[in-house]
Each structure stands twice: as structure tokens, then as C-alpha cells.
């Protein structure tokens, strides 16, 4: 299968410029990067794609067993950079795609120069000495609600995740993105996302890394950003004056600026 078709790859910007690869999170697709991509394109080659099971990826590529682990998505990323013959890639992963990037770079860093983790979380579930933001019952309730009524869950949760009640159009856009995702595939990706624990993988990262968090984020509280920063040697931490889990929509200028400064 042609990976360009499998992952609906889009390449824009300057051909001879450094490459920035933008990877979306759960329930999203590459369209949610458009405001950031627009600002990066004059200075970078911008590569965007849809994870299998999301957006306009090839439905025939879906494999519930492969994508029950973030490793399946990470292997897709490694295959993309090899087939597209990309080098010195600055990988930008939003939300769960941040950990997909961690796994890809930890497995084979040869084609990556830098890593940007936008509102990352290595584990959403609280643990002893670690605050992920959710208790066990929280996660159970979230997954049960998602599995029993995905569209209803999407309409309820998207505005909460976006965190911008004064700008309801942003919550509506995230809701629409969630609702475009096939529910059966979304359920698999949700369990993969919210039950993952990649804390031990942070120490395997050996490329310069930028952690971008928001000042107020219901899905990834400030303690999570501090934890990721502390456990990736030499990483930088930037806190955006923004609310919510999707600053590429709610604060695209600040998000693009942080990525560009670090990528250069």
C-alpha cells in the first residue's frame, strides 16, 4: 500500500527548507493544523498526514490489533519518513501524537533532528507520585460513555477539551472533527490513548525536544508538562498563555511561533 494514500499525506511550503511534520491527536485530522501550517509554510517544508482510522486515511489500512498500541502509529511515522525520504525532520506531535513521536524517535532517530511535544501526556491516569489528571473511575466513565454513545460523548466532551467557552465555534469545530471519525475506530484509538503509559519511554529520547503546554488544560494539567520536561534530558518547556488542549486552534500564532523558533 502506498503510504501517501494510506495516511493521506500533504506536503506544502518550501521544497528546499527544513522539514516540519505535523501529527494530530485523537479525534482530529490534519485539517486542525491549517492555521499553524499557514504560518510555517513560508519558512519550512510542512508535511501533514492523517493517522490510520482518522480523517481521509485509507479505510482499507485499518487494523484494530495493530492500532490497539501506540507502537502501530509510531511504526507508520517511521515508514512515512523513510518512504518520503525525509531527513532532519522536526516532528511535532499534538496530544497523543506527542507520545507517538516519542516512540518513533526512541526507536529510530536517524531521520529526526528535533521533537516538539504539544500538550503531551505520557499517562492520563493518576498514579502514586504522579498526577495525570484522571482517576481510575474518571477513565472508566469516559470510556464507557464513549463506547455506548460516541456521538453524544463527542458533543459533550469536545467543548470541554477545547476549553474556550467564549469562542464556541472552536468547540463546534472539534465536535465536528470527532463526529467525522468512524465510531468503531475511535473507540479503539480512545482506549489506546487514555490507557497508555509511556512515562518510561521519555528517557529514551535523544534529540533536542521542546515541550509546549497551555496555562490551563483540562486534559493535561501543568504538572504533566513539568513531568515530561523533567524526564527528557535537555528539553525546553514553553507555557502558552492559552486555555484548553488544542492551542493550534485556540492560539495558532503563539503555537506557530514557538514551533518555528525551536525548529530554526
Amino acid at each position: 500500500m502506498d503510504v501517501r494514500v494510506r495516511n493521506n499525506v500533504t506536503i506544502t511550503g518550501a521544497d528546499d527548507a527544513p522539514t516540519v511534520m505535523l501529527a494530530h491527536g485523537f479525534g482530529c485530522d490534519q485539517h486542525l493544523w491549517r492555521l499553524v501550517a499557514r504560518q510555517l509554510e513560508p519558512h519550512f517544508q510542512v508535511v501533514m498526514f492523517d493517522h490510520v482510522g482518522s480523517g481521509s486515511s485509507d479505510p482499507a489500512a485499518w487494523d484494530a490489533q495493530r492500532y490497539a498500541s501506540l507502537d502501530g502509529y509510531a511504526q507508520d511515522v517511521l515508514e512515512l519518513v523513510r518512504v518520503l525520504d525525509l531527513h532532519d525532520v522536526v516532528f511535532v506531535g499534538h496530544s497523543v501524537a506527542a507520545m507517538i513521536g516519542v516512540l518513533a524517535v526512541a526507536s529510530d532517530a536517524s531521520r529526526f533532528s528535533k521533537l516538539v511535544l504539544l500538550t503531551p501526556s505520557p499517562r492520563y491516569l493518576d498514579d502514586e507520585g504522579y498526577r495525570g489528571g484522571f482517576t481510575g473511575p474518571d477513565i472508566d466513565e469516559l470510556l464507557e460513555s464513549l463506547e455506548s454513545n460516541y456521538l453524544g460523548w463527542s458533543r459533550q466532551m469536545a467543548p470541554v477539551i477545547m476549553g474556550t467557552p467564549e469562542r464556541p465555534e472552536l468547540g463546534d469545530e472539534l465536535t465536528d472533527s470527532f463526529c467525522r471519525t468512524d465510531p468503531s475506530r475511535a473507540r479503539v484509538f480512545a482506549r489506546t490513548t487514555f490507557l497508555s503509559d509511556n512515562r518510561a519511554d521519555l528517557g529514551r529520547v535523544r534529540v533536542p525536544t521542546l515541550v509546549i503546554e497551555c496555562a490551563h488544560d483540562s486534559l493535561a494539567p501543568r504538572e504533566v508538562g513539568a513531568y515530561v520536561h523533567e524526564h527528557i534530558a535537555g528539553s525546553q518547556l514553553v507555557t502558552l498563555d492559552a486555555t484548553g488542549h488544542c492551542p493550534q486552534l485556540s492560539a495558532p500564532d503563539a503555537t506557530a511561533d514557538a514551533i518555528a523558533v525551536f525548529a530554526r
Side-chain angles (χ1 to χ4, degrees):
M1 179 178 292
D2 186 338
V3 297
R4 297 170 183 82
V5 175
R6 181 190 69 191
N7 289 103
N8 186 35
V9 174
T10 303
I11 301 177
T12 61
D15 292 338
D16 57 351
T19 298
V20 174
M21 175 177 275
L22 304 176
H24 66 82
F26 167 77
C28 303
D29 59 27
Q30 61 182 273
H31 184 65
L32 270 67
W33 281 113
R34 68 191 183 280
L35 302 177
V36 168
R38 190 177 302 155
Q39 297 190 49
L40 296 177
E41 286 166 354
H43 312 288
F44 301 95
Q45 176 178 250
V46 178
V47 179
M48 294 181 287
F49 66 97
D50 295 330
H51 294 299
V52 172
S54 302
S56 297
S57 63
D58 189 343
W62 174 254
D63 181 329
Q65 183 173 356
R66 175 181 176 88
Y67 298 109
S69 165
L70 293 184
D71 289 311
Y73 297 98
Q75 290 305 310
D76 284 355
V77 169
L78 292 174
E79 189 173 355
L80 279 171
V81 296
R82 286 196 300 267
V83 172
L84 298 174
D85 196 26
L86 302 176
H87 299 271
D88 298 322
V89 175
V90 179
F91 182 92
V92 183
H94 169 237
S95 192
V96 67
M99 291 305 110
I100 292 170
V102 164
L103 292 171
V105 168
S107 177
D108 180 4
S110 62
R111 291 179 179 266
F112 300 92
S113 63
K114 295 180 179 180
L115 185 61
V116 179
L117 309 178
L118 181 63
T119 62
S121 179
R123 177 182 167 102
Y124 290 92
L125 184 62
D126 294 342
D127 199 2
E128 184 176 352
Y130 173 81
R131 183 182 178 223
F134 293 84
T135 66
D138 288 338
I139 293 291
D140 290 342
E141 181 180 354
L142 183 152
L143 292 175
E144 287 171 7
S145 174
L146 186 150
E147 291 175 3
S148 64
N149 183 4
Y150 175 68
L151 295 182
W153 178 89
S154 298
R155 295 187 183 98
Q156 179 182 5
M157 285 299 299
V160 175
I161 294 169
M162 183 57 69
T164 54
E166 75 285 0
R167 299 168 67 189
E169 70 278 6
L170 297 183
D172 291 344
E173 178 169 351
L174 189 60
T175 300
D176 291 343
S177 178
F178 281 3
C179 291
R180 286 195 302 268
T181 305
D182 179 271
S184 63
R185 294 167 187 173
R187 292 182 187 107
V188 173
F189 198 8
R191 296 190 69 84
T192 303
T193 297
F194 291 107
L195 298 179
S196 62
D197 185 353
N198 297 106
R199 290 175 294 176
D201 296 304
L202 300 177
R204 300 169 58 206
V205 174
R206 295 289 184 269
V207 301
T209 300
L210 173 66
V211 181
I212 304 176
E213 65 178 5
C214 291
H216 305 282
D217 185 341
S218 61
L219 241 61
R222 295 282 297 276
E223 291 92 336
V224 176
Y227 183 93
V228 174
H229 171 47
E230 179 183 350
H231 286 80
I232 297 181
S235 65
Q236 301 176 35
L237 175 63
V238 169
T239 303
L240 302 180
D241 183 17
T243 299
H245 193 61
C246 302
Q248 70 271 47
L249 284 180
S250 62
D253 293 351
T255 302
D257 286 346
I259 294 170
V261 168
F262 182 72
R264 292 195 186 102

